[in-house]
Amino acid sequence: MRLCAWYLYGEKHRGYALNPVANFHLQNGSVLWRINWMGDTSARGIGASCGMMVNYRYFLEDTASNSALYLGSKQVKASEQVLALVSQFQQNSKL
């Protein structure tokens, strides 16, 4: 889950999220909200994402500012759960 959080939050292409689905939602002003272990246990889900599922949350009053922040300064808004996983990854990673 730590690696998944880092992939979605920290891995970038030209400054934007490497994952195209993450990039889509973040451009539209969402928050990277939650990572669910074994959230998609279908054969396709296991093959594509090791069963992990991600929730993006839209706070309607914040979508415009979140979108502008992401598009302008390439900053990803994320929940405490995701940020904690990112922090754990950074502390333990040898990448």
Side-chain angles (χ1 to χ4, degrees):
M1 286 187 56
R2 294 184 301 252
L3 181 59
C4 179
W6 176 253
Y7 169 69
L8 295 169
Y9 180 84
E11 289 298 318
K12 308 287 180 147
H13 175 70
R14 297 183 181 159
Y16 298 106
L18 183 61
N19 180 274
V21 174
N23 192 50
F24 169 81
H25 286 290
L26 295 168
Q27 283 182 14
N28 287 308
S30 74
V31 175
L32 180 53
W33 190 249
R34 184 173 48 215
I35 298 172
N36 304 291
W37 174 255
M38 298 307 281
D40 184 356
T41 57
S42 69
R44 185 170 186 244
I46 296 293
S49 63
C50 299
M52 297 216 197
M53 184 177 281
V54 179
N55 296 113
Y56 297 92
R57 188 163 179 188
Y58 289 86
F59 295 97
L60 295 181
E61 64 276 5
D62 297 328
T63 55
S65 61
N66 289 349
S67 177
L69 182 69
Y70 181 68
L71 293 170
S73 61
K74 301 171 182 160
Q75 293 181 25
V76 174
K77 294 290 271 186
S79 70
E80 290 297 318
Q81 184 236 20
V82 173
L83 293 175
L85 290 167
V86 167
S87 178
Q88 291 170 18
F89 172 82
Q90 290 174 322
Q91 290 172 1
N92 298 313
S93 175
K94 296 182 181 177
L95 296 180

